[in-house]
Amino acid sequence: AAGVIQSPRHLIKEKRETATLKCYPIPRHDTVYWYQQGPGQDPQFLISFYEKMQSDKGSIPDRFSAQQFSDYHSELNMSSLELGDSALYFCASSLAGDTQYFGPGTRLTVL
Amino acid sequence: AQKITQTQPGMFVQEKEAVTLDCTYDTSDPSYGLFWYKQPSSGEMIFLIYQGSYDQQNATEGRYSLNFQKARKSANLVISASQLGDSAMYFCAMRGAMKTSYDKVIFGPGTSLSVIP
């Protein structure tokens, strides 16, 4: 069965640079979620989109923005990167608020 | 506010034995969903099992079963016949009331399970 696809899988950036993470949800899923998981921590909700509209917002820094496109893929844009942004970023998708299936994650390292 | 508690930071189990991972939760929502996810050292987050708050029976998925005690607000995961590949971090998670079709999930701190040969 098709799963959530995230790219890139690994990303290394310098402080103050920008990064764009991409997420392709499971086909026919209508909701996309972004989570951030710091080292040794549980995932923290950042933002979600339902039918291409932002539906909920968590502890997402103002330096981050996200959107969902007409083909339902989503991008998380991160600017002015800080050392503390180093984390595993997950995208998850669901159909009508049902079980969220997670992608493999993008491991971001900020140097 | 919703909260998930997992009181076992680390657990060990002998291969082929059963193990129970504890999870308690707190919510004021009358309707909610409970999940367990597995995160191996490779990092991916794998969905294991789901229990709805109004489900009459405990959920089961293969070797995984969820011991749901609503009055005690607990949703323990039972893994039967442990395998070496079960060694991973296990997260209990909760989704709130279905006010909308897109409620976020909150996670507990996780339990690290190690299966011993």
Side-chain angles (χ1 to χ4, degrees):
Chain A
V4 177
I5 297 171
Q6 290 187 247
S7 67
R9 294 292 306 277
H10 301 272
L11 191 58
I12 300 175
K13 291 286 185 178
E14 300 273 343
K15 275 171 48 177
R16 292 180 287 277
E17 286 190 324
T18 61
T20 297
L21 310 186
K22 296 186 178 183
C23 169
Y24 298 85
I26 292 171
R28 292 182 295 280
H29 278 195
D30 53 17
T31 309
V32 167
Y33 311 78
W34 286 97
Y35 292 83
Q36 177 192 57
Q37 186 180 26
Q41 314 233 324
D42 55 282
Q44 296 293 315
F45 171 73
L46 293 177
I47 196 167
S48 62
F49 293 87
Y50 169 67
E51 287 290 345
K52 292 156 279 184
M53 299 287 289
Q54 182 183 309
S55 53
D56 199 1
K57 202 170 179 180
S59 49
I60 183 169
D62 292 340
R63 299 177 289 108
F64 294 7
S65 65
Q67 57 182 324
Q68 187 178 30
F69 295 86
S70 57
D71 64 352
Y72 290 91
H73 94 272
S74 178
E75 294 184 2
L76 177 67
N77 299 293
M78 311 158 70
S79 63
S80 301
L81 287 169
E82 302 173 357
L83 296 179
D85 296 329
S86 295
L88 188 55
Y89 289 83
F90 285 108
C91 172
S93 74
S94 74
L95 177 61
D98 207 344
T99 298
Q100 292 181 27
Y101 292 91
F102 283 70
T106 293
R107 192 170 295 278
L108 173 67
T109 302
V110 181
L111 302 176
Chain B
Q2 298 175 331
K3 186 179 179 182
I4 298 280
T5 301
Q6 295 179 254
T7 57
Q8 307 153 313
M11 291 275 289
F12 290 89
V13 65
Q14 203 76 39
E15 194 178 5
K16 299 178 185 171
E17 290 188 348
V19 63
T20 298
L21 306 184
D22 294 341
C23 171
T24 57
Y25 59 91
D26 190 21
T27 181
S28 55
D29 288 335
S31 174
Y32 48 90
L34 296 157
F35 304 82
W36 278 91
Y37 288 89
K38 171 185 177 182
Q39 187 174 39
S41 57
S42 52
E44 68 263 37
M45 192 71 74
I46 302 166
F47 165 71
L48 294 178
I49 195 166
Y50 167 79
Q51 179 84 43
S53 59
Y54 288 113
D55 291 344
Q56 295 297 313
Q57 292 190 321
N58 287 344
T60 61
E61 288 285 349
R63 294 187 299 112
Y64 304 108
S65 60
L66 201 152
N67 183 2
F68 180 47
Q69 298 187 49
K70 192 171 182 178
R72 300 179 63 180
K73 291 190 174 180
S74 74
N76 299 338
L77 177 71
V78 181
I79 305 175
S80 63
S82 298
Q83 302 172 355
L84 296 178
D86 294 335
S87 294
M89 182 71 80
Y90 288 81
F91 289 99
C92 180
M94 177 168 61
R95 181 191 63 211
M98 294 290 284
K99 302 182 294 294
T100 65
S101 63
Y102 33 77
D103 276 334
K104 61 183 177 290
V105 164
I106 62 164
F107 288 82
T111 295
S112 177
L113 177 67
S114 298
V115 180
I116 305 167

